[in-house]
Amino acid sequence: MLMLTPTAIEAVRTITSGDGTPAEAGLRIFSATESNQALQLAVAAAPAEQDQILSADGSRIFLDEKAAAFLDDKILDTGVDSDGQSTFVVAPQGQEQPEQGAPQA
């Protein structure tokens, strides 16, 4: 199951708690292509019918079937790219990582 670091949990909460966003909103991660080579992110008011729902410390993530399968053994964290912009980072589980929040399905 996808694990979330505390900074990722906070980032998801921040992204999904904007003005006018429903309380049940979440960050939806879904496959952008048939070959599962790219994932897209979007704020969603509710999960799609087949989405897996993860909750951790007030954050909600909705994963479509392909994204859930790809991210099953991964950790979602945050980082800063070369332009100084905040970004999500995906890493394999099992390596020494910062303290992780275990989402609840």
Side-chain angles (χ1 to χ4, degrees):
M1 177 182 296
L2 176 66
M3 301 294 290
L4 306 172
T5 65
T7 57
I9 291 169
E10 181 61 31
V12 171
R13 272 197 312 248
T14 300
I15 291 168
T16 59
S17 65
D19 290 340
T21 305
E24 303 80 28
L27 182 67
R28 185 162 193 264
I29 304 175
F30 56 99
S31 178
T33 63
E34 288 299 318
S35 63
N36 205 25
Q37 293 295 315
L39 296 175
Q40 291 186 341
L41 305 174
V43 174
E49 186 174 323
Q50 300 296 320
D51 282 356
Q52 180 180 4
I53 303 168
L54 303 177
S55 298
D57 297 327
S59 68
R60 290 171 40 105
I61 295 182
F62 311 139
L63 301 170
D64 79 355
E65 292 178 13
K66 289 182 181 179
F70 176 75
L71 296 171
D72 186 54
D73 61 347
K74 308 289 190 295
I75 297 169
L76 184 66
D77 198 0
T78 58
V80 178
D81 69 14
S82 60
D83 295 326
Q85 300 293 314
S86 294
T87 184
F88 283 106
V89 178
V90 176
Q93 289 182 20
Q95 298 178 355
E96 289 199 23
Q97 300 290 333
E99 183 178 325
Q100 300 134 16
Q104 302 166 353

